[in-house]
């Protein structure tokens, strides 16, 4: 197991990509804490599944946009398990709409949940990592930051921000033995994409070189790579995991 004895925290770990990350990190031997926002039943199910498999897991109800709660969660993880080795900033939402009609409320909700959360959890989580002189931070971005999608100015702004943040923090903390990387998923089959999948899955698939939608596990595999020693000499990197969606149409 690649992560035996490690302690990990995943934001938004009760469903979708976050849930797959929690399961994959635990399968590799990590003790895994995760946060969720509102769906306690989904979170409890993840904990139960892992416990049945003899894994250690704990769930925290914590709005990712709440900085004070982020500090409380990090403190509780360090108090329980003594350290924090791996932080996965995954929590995210969409509130799509064309900019001309986008309310400030929908702009701020996405900025606060997707981007400010990365500040909160990294700000609180970097201290135990710096003390230990080791750590792995993995931020979940999106190919929307690279290509742009109409209706996603708020969302793409957060993901572009996350990628710049990732490179800056990588330079700040490299000397402390901490790596900071990002994964940019393409089109992944989760609750977040359910409506558009129902409306246009066949059309979307046509544009993906591998001719299938991504599964949450495809992203979790990249997260495990960045969490493990296999990526010991990789930092400040954004790995696109999109089945070739953003390769373009060629000549
Ligand atoms: P999802 O299926 O909607 O799951 C979102 C998870 O985040 C849930 O566990 C949810 O918990 C939690 N969450 C939402 N708001 C939160 C908040 N304010 N505080 C704490 N937790 C919160 O989403 P997903 O598709 O797995 O997306 C996960 C990440 O991947 C996001 O950052 C997203 O932008 C990114 N991404 C997804 C795709 C895709 O195609 N799906 C593509 C590119 C990037 P509750 O159930 O309690 O709300």
């Amino acid at each position: 197991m690649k992560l035996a004895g490690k302690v990990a925290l995943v934001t938004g770990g009760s469903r979708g990509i976050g849930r797959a990350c929690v399961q994959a990190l635990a399968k590799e031997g990590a003790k895994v804490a995760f946060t969720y926002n509102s769906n306690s039943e989904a979170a409890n199910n993840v904990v139960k599944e892992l416990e049945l498999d003899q894994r250690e897991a704990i769930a925290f109800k914590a709005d990712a946009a709440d900085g004070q709660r982020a500090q409380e969660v990090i403190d509780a993880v360090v108090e329980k398990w003594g350290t924090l080795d791996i932080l996965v900033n995954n929590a995210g939402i969409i509130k799509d709409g064309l900019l001309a009609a986008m309310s400030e409320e929908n702009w701020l909700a996405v900025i606060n949940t997707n981007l400010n959360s990365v500040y909160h959890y990294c700000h609180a989580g970097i201290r135990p990592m710096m003390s230990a002189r080791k750590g792995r931070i993995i931020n979940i971005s999106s190919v929307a930051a690279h290509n742009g999608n109409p209706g996603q100015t708020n969302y793409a702004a957060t993901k572009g921000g996350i990628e710049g943040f990732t490179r800056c923090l990588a330079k700040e903390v490299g000397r402390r033995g901490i790596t900071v990387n990002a994964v940019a998923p393409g089109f992944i089959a989760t609750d977040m994409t359910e409506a558009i999948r129902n409306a246009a899955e066949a059309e979307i698939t046509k544009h993906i070189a591998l001719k299938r939608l991504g599964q949450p596990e495809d992203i979790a595999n990249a997260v495990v790579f960045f969490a493990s020693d296999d990526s010991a000499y990789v930092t400040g990197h954004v790995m696109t995991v999109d089945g070739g969606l953003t390769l373009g149409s060629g000549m």
Side-chain angles (χ1 to χ4, degrees):
M1 289 194 288
K2 291 182 174 177
L3 303 174
K6 301 286 185 192
V7 173
L9 170 63
V10 179
T11 66
S14 55
R15 293 185 290 114
I17 291 169
R19 176 171 179 259
C21 291
V22 169
Q23 291 171 326
L25 294 165
K27 195 172 157 205
E28 289 296 337
K31 298 170 193 160
V32 188
F34 67 91
T35 67
Y36 66 100
N37 190 36
S38 57
N39 189 337
S40 301
E41 192 184 345
N44 291 339
N45 286 341
V46 174
V47 172
K48 275 188 216 150
E49 275 170 24
L50 291 173
E51 285 177 350
L52 276 176
D53 207 19
Q54 313 298 320
R55 313 284 180 197
E56 281 189 75
I58 182 167
F60 294 91
K61 187 174 190 317
D63 181 351
D66 181 341
Q68 190 182 327
R69 187 75 182 119
Q71 185 67 60
E72 288 169 6
V73 169
I74 300 274
D75 289 347
V77 171
V78 173
E79 192 178 323
K80 184 172 173 60
W81 287 326
T83 189
L84 177 67
D85 300 297
I86 300 156
L87 170 62
V88 183
N89 285 299
N90 164 79
I93 57 169
I94 47 173
K95 298 259 182 207
D96 292 353
L98 297 177
L99 183 74
M102 185 181 288
S103 65
E104 189 174 356
E105 189 186 354
N106 281 356
W107 171 263
L108 289 176
V110 173
I111 300 289
N112 286 332
T113 303
N114 297 13
L115 181 59
N116 290 347
S117 61
V118 177
Y119 160 75
H120 293 313
Y121 279 84
C122 285
H123 188 251
I126 204 76
R127 291 175 197 177
M129 289 185 180
M130 285 170 75
S131 304
R133 301 192 76 81
K134 64 185 167 69
R136 295 277 192 267
I137 295 174
I138 302 120
N139 298 322
I140 304 300
S141 179
S142 167
V143 295
H146 313 162
N147 279 13
N149 289 326
Q152 292 203 308
T153 51
N154 50 0
Y155 183 74
T158 65
K159 298 305 187 179
I162 284 172
E163 293 188 7
F165 179 104
T166 297
R167 295 184 188 100
C168 293
L169 188 59
K171 287 192 176 181
E172 286 186 21
V173 298
R175 72 188 62 200
R176 307 280 189 142
I178 301 166
T179 66
V180 189
N181 291 290
V183 178
F187 202 97
I188 311 302
T190 67
D191 294 345
M192 182 180 274
T193 55
E194 189 181 3
I196 187 165
R197 274 189 286 127
N198 290 342
E201 179 167 341
E203 183 56 34
I204 293 161
T205 307
K206 277 188 205 161
H207 297 280
I208 301 174
L210 294 178
K211 300 298 170 210
R212 68 168 176 87
L213 301 186
Q215 295 300 315
E217 293 72 22
D218 292 314
I219 307 307
N221 289 339
V223 167
V224 168
F225 169 70
F226 283 131
S228 76
D229 285 346
D230 290 346
S231 64
Y233 201 56
V234 183
T235 197
H237 187 70
V238 178
M239 184 195 283
T240 296
V241 182
D242 70 351
L245 172 67
T246 55
L247 285 174
S249 54
M251 296 297 287

